[in-house]
Amino acid sequence: MDKFEYINKYCELTQQANEKEAKLESYVQKWLSGESVLSSDTMEQTIVTVNDQVSKIRTEAEKYKSEFDRISKEEQLQQEQLESSKSAERRLKFQLGVDTSKMVITGGILSSNANESHLTGRDKTPEELEIDRQIALTTLREKVVKKEVSLAEASQLKNDIENYYGKNNEISSGRHM
């Protein structure tokens, strides 16, 4: 099920519970006004039974809502991680001037006419990503020594390097660091 099916099911079940409660209320009002000849015990048993049904429906509905919330939160976290990774990539590219591409171009044709251009490539290996990481760290060290970046900026950039290349290595190699 996708998240929208979960929220639709939640709404459907909540509506069912509300309808059952409304019918029960109507039924009780008719009984109180004397339009029904049921005994008090029968009426009490009916109320308890319907309230149990409504409770079960609401519990099931909450499970669907919880799953919808979980999926939504997971999607939001993934989006935040993607945005954070893109920000780190931009900072590394512009402040350190390092190549942050995840692919290696292996061939193709590059033309001034975009319709005639096509490139072929492959994902970088974990070893190539580690080399890129080391280059970025070395470049950062050089900029710190030359006092081109402050220690605060260097700390942020080092964190960006570790996060960016750590995630890429994890994704590319399937291993966890």
Side-chain angles (χ1 to χ4, degrees), residues 140 144-145 147-158:
L140 177 59
V144 169
V145 168
K147 296 186 180 184
E148 293 176 6
V149 295
S150 69
L151 290 178
E153 290 173 321
S155 178
Q156 175 64 49
L157 289 168
K158 183 179 183 303

Side-chain angles (χ1 to χ4, degrees), residues 118-129:
H118 72 278
L119 299 174
T120 57
R122 62 170 174 76
D123 288 335
K124 287 185 178 178
T125 65
E127 293 79 19
E128 290 169 321
L129 289 170

Side-chain angles (χ1 to χ4, degrees), residues 24-37 43:
L24 178 62
E25 180 64 28
S26 172
Y27 195 65
V28 168
Q29 289 303 321
K30 286 181 182 177
W31 182 76
L32 289 173
S33 66
E35 294 177 32
S36 177
V37 291
M43 193 62 191

Side-chain angles (χ1 to χ4, degrees), residues 31-175:
W31 182 76
L32 289 173
S33 66
E35 294 177 32
S36 177
V37 291
L38 295 176
S39 69
S40 296
D41 291 338
T42 304
M43 193 62 191
E44 183 178 340
Q45 186 178 11
T46 302
I47 292 171
V48 168
T49 301
V50 172
N51 282 337
D52 285 346
Q53 291 172 354
V54 167
S55 177
K56 287 177 184 176
I57 291 171
R58 291 200 186 279
T59 300
E60 186 178 352
E62 281 305 313
K63 289 177 186 175
Y64 283 101
K65 185 175 183 304
S66 294
E67 187 62 16
F68 170 80
D69 291 341
R70 184 194 67 75
I71 292 170
S72 296
K73 189 169 278 192
E74 189 176 285
E75 286 176 350
Q76 180 182 3
L77 182 60
Q78 288 174 347
Q79 184 63 31
E80 287 171 1
Q81 288 173 340
L82 179 63
E83 288 172 15
S84 175
S85 179
K86 285 180 180 179
S87 294
E89 180 181 7
R90 282 191 297 273
R91 280 191 298 274
L92 293 175
K93 190 177 284 185
F94 295 114
Q95 289 185 316
L96 295 181
V98 297
D99 177 24
T100 56
S101 67
K102 300 173 189 174
M103 299 204 50
V104 175
I105 297 173
T106 58
I109 298 172
L110 189 58
S111 171
S112 58
N113 182 350
N115 292 333
E116 296 173 1
S117 294
H118 72 278
L119 299 174
T120 57
R122 62 170 174 76
D123 288 335
K124 287 185 178 178
T125 65
E127 293 79 19
E128 290 169 321
L129 289 170
E130 179 58 26
I131 290 169
D132 286 351
R133 182 179 153 285
Q134 291 301 324
I135 290 170
L137 289 170
T138 301
T139 304
L140 177 59
R141 277 189 222 102
E142 290 171 0
K143 288 194 177 273
V144 169
V145 168
K146 293 177 184 177
K147 296 186 180 184
E148 293 176 6
V149 295
S150 69
L151 290 178
E153 290 173 321
S155 178
Q156 175 64 49
L157 289 168
K158 183 179 183 303
N159 190 36
D160 287 344
I161 291 167
E162 294 302 327
N163 288 334
Y164 183 76
Y165 286 104
K167 287 180 184 174
N168 284 338
N169 283 335
E170 192 174 298
I171 291 168
S172 296
S173 67
R175 64 181 174 177

